[in-house]
């Protein structure tokens, strides 16, 4: 699932906060995650496997004391969390979306009764961040109510490469092509003349073509920068919006690119779903839509659910916002 235009712009604005360095990068990473994905609390957990030590960053700060009081429970019973089986399966890079009350047998564990239940945390979105073999870095977003959505998961997947840089598990000094690709970047290398000599992934937007010069928007990336991870630019190539960042390399810089969005989300909708979206944006109820379209109310309800899923929204207000943006884009193009 690609990000909508509004979400893509907010994503780019927030990830820019991770480029300036400083000792509080972990806290900033948590703050960025919570700004992009509404939740009650975010924890970034860094486990040094060799030393057997763990460091936890919590945002917002008011949750720190509450969690710290119960941390002995998590240290003793961490193995009971569904994340452990998820990690063992080799799918840690895929976000794990949980309703802790419905995970089979979890409510009977010491971890749930002694930690999650007292804190009132019911829903989680969990993902591993690329790290050296000696460490395990995990970001956990938690809510007391309201399940995480496809949109939330898509946002976290897009954030993964930036978290990898921010946590310095892939540092600008020790960057490897394999590590960057594992984190979710498309890696682009150039020759001294600014021509692409290698791209790690086929690019159907033709923004990065071997033997061709970089898009003109990327020219600034070859200039010196004071940023920790280099300058960044955003540009459109066809229906694809690219986010590109430069990381110092030997000679020419290495470019880390990421597709943020391909097309307007409503382009995925069928003609009938577009009719339903237009009715929702017009303030019509499911019953009114059923009468207007001469279909069953249950069918309308299913169409609305599918529209929400495809747009990455959860309410009629959010769906109306997407519809309004579509009208504005059409008016602009006209």
């Amino acid at each position: 699932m690609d990000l909508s235009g509004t979400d893509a712009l907010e994503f780019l604005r927030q990830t820019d906060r991770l480029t300036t360095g400083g000792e509080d990068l972990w806290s900033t990473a948590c703050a960025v995650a919570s700004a992009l994905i509404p939740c009650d609390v975010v924890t970034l957990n860094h486990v040094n496997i060799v030393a057997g030590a763990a460091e936890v960053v919590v945002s917002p700060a008011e949750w720190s004391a509450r969690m710290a009081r119960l941390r002995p429970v998590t240290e003793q019973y961490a193995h009971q969390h569904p994340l452990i089986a998820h990690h063992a399966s080799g799918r840690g890079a895929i976000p794990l979306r949980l309703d802790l009350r419905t995970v089979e047998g979890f409510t009977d564990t010491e971890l749930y009764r002694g930690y999650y239940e007292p804190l009132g945390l019911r829903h989680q979105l969990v993902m591993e961040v690329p790290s050296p073999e000696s460490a395990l870095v995990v970001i956990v977003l938690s809510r007391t109510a309201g399940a995480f959505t496809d949109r939330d998961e898509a946002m976290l997947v897009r954030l993964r490469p930036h978290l990898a840089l921010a946590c310095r598990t892939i540092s600008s000094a020790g960057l490897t092509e394999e590590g960057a690709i594992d984190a979710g970047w498309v890696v682009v290398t150039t020759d001294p003349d600014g021509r692409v000599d290698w791209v790690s992934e086929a690019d159907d937007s033709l923004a990065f073509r071997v033997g061709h010069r970089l898009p003109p928007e990327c020219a600034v990336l070859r200039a010196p920068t004071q940023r920790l991870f280099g300058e960044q630019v955003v540009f459109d190539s066809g229906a694809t919006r690219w986010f590109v960042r430069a990381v110092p390399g030997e000679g020419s810089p290495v470019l880390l690119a990421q597709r943020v969005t391909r097309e307007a989300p409503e382009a995925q909708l069928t003609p009938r779903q577009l009719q339903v979206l237009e009715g929702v944006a017009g303030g019509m109820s499911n019953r009114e839509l059923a009468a207007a379209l001469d279909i069953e109310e249950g069918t309308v309800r299913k169409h609305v659910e599918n529209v929400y899923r495809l747009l990455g929204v959860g309410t009629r207000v959010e769906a109306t916002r997407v519809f309004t943006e579509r009208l504005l884009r059409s008016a602009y193009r006209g």
Side-chain angles (χ1 to χ4, degrees):
M1 175 181 176
D2 290 313
L3 303 181
S4 71
T6 301
D7 278 341
L9 291 175
E10 181 62 12
F11 172 85
L12 297 169
R13 188 178 73 83
Q14 290 292 337
T15 53
D16 187 52
R17 299 167 59 187
L18 297 172
T19 65
T20 55
E23 296 181 358
D24 63 343
L25 266 178
W26 279 37
S27 297
T28 302
C30 286
V32 167
S34 60
L36 293 173
I37 306 169
C39 59
D40 292 289
V41 59
V42 180
T43 62
L44 193 57
N45 311 271
H46 182 278
V47 181
N48 187 318
I49 299 173
V50 176
E55 181 181 355
V56 180
V57 177
V58 180
S59 180
E62 55 262 29
W63 277 81
S64 296
R66 298 172 61 185
M67 291 182 152
R69 286 195 297 270
L70 299 174
R71 189 148 297 133
V73 177
T74 62
E75 292 174 352
Q76 184 174 357
Y77 299 110
H79 62 279
Q80 296 176 346
H81 197 283
L83 168 67
I84 303 305
H86 189 63
H87 171 72
S89 71
R91 296 177 298 165
I94 302 173
L96 180 62
R97 210 188 308 183
L98 298 169
D99 180 339
L100 297 175
R101 297 165 298 179
T102 61
V103 176
E104 184 176 0
F106 189 62
T107 55
D108 295 327
T109 65
E110 291 84 356
L111 181 60
Y112 181 83
R113 293 197 303 263
Y115 186 74
Y116 291 107
E117 191 170 38
L119 291 173
L121 299 177
R122 300 292 180 261
H123 300 273
Q124 288 193 321
L125 188 60
V126 185
M127 185 183 67
E128 293 180 27
V129 179
S131 58
E133 293 183 1
S134 60
L136 176 64
V137 178
V138 180
I139 187 168
V140 182
L141 293 84
S142 301
R143 290 176 180 168
T144 57
F148 288 95
T149 65
D150 289 346
R151 176 264 178 201
D152 299 331
E153 185 172 326
M155 188 67 82
L156 189 59
V157 168
R158 295 300 186 282
L159 190 56
R160 187 172 187 261
H162 304 269
L163 292 174
L165 282 173
C167 297
R168 303 187 186 189
T169 53
I170 298 177
S171 68
S172 57
L175 179 75
T176 65
E177 291 172 357
E178 182 180 356
I181 294 169
D182 180 59
W185 294 104
V186 175
V187 179
V188 182
T189 61
T190 61
D191 63 22
D193 294 326
R195 297 181 185 275
V196 176
D197 57 20
W198 183 73
V199 183
S200 65
E201 184 178 315
D203 168 25
D204 52 11
S205 79
L206 302 181
F208 305 104
R209 292 181 288 172
V210 174
H212 290 251
R213 289 195 176 278
L214 289 169
E217 296 87 348
C218 294
V220 67
L221 299 178
R222 299 176 59 79
T225 177
Q226 298 300 314
R227 290 174 179 254
L228 179 64
F229 304 126
E231 190 58 80
Q232 59 184 24
V233 297
V234 181
F235 68 94
D236 294 327
S237 179
T240 300
R241 173 161 290 180
W242 285 95
F243 173 104
V244 186
R245 174 171 288 161
V247 177
E250 294 184 5
S252 300
V254 174
L255 304 187
L256 304 182
Q258 184 182 29
R259 294 181 182 91
V260 180
T261 184
R262 289 184 180 275
E263 59 185 0
E266 66 273 13
Q268 307 172 68
L269 304 184
T270 65
R272 175 66 87 187
Q273 289 169 341
L274 281 171
Q275 288 179 313
V276 170
L277 174 59
E278 183 175 3
V280 167
M284 297 176 70
S285 67
N286 286 357
R287 180 174 297 180
E288 291 169 332
L289 271 168
L293 300 176
D294 194 25
I295 56 178
E296 296 293 328
E297 188 174 347
T299 303
V300 171
R301 190 179 304 112
K302 191 64 178 177
H303 279 315
V304 171
E305 290 174 357
N306 287 333
V307 167
Y308 283 5
R309 177 178 56 80
L310 290 169
L311 298 184
V313 302
T315 67
R316 292 176 110 81
V317 171
E318 292 174 327
T320 300
R321 171 182 57 75
V322 172
F323 181 77
T324 302
E325 290 173 353
R326 176 176 183 263
L327 290 180
L328 290 173
R329 282 195 298 271
S330 297
Y332 177 76
R333 289 170 183 165

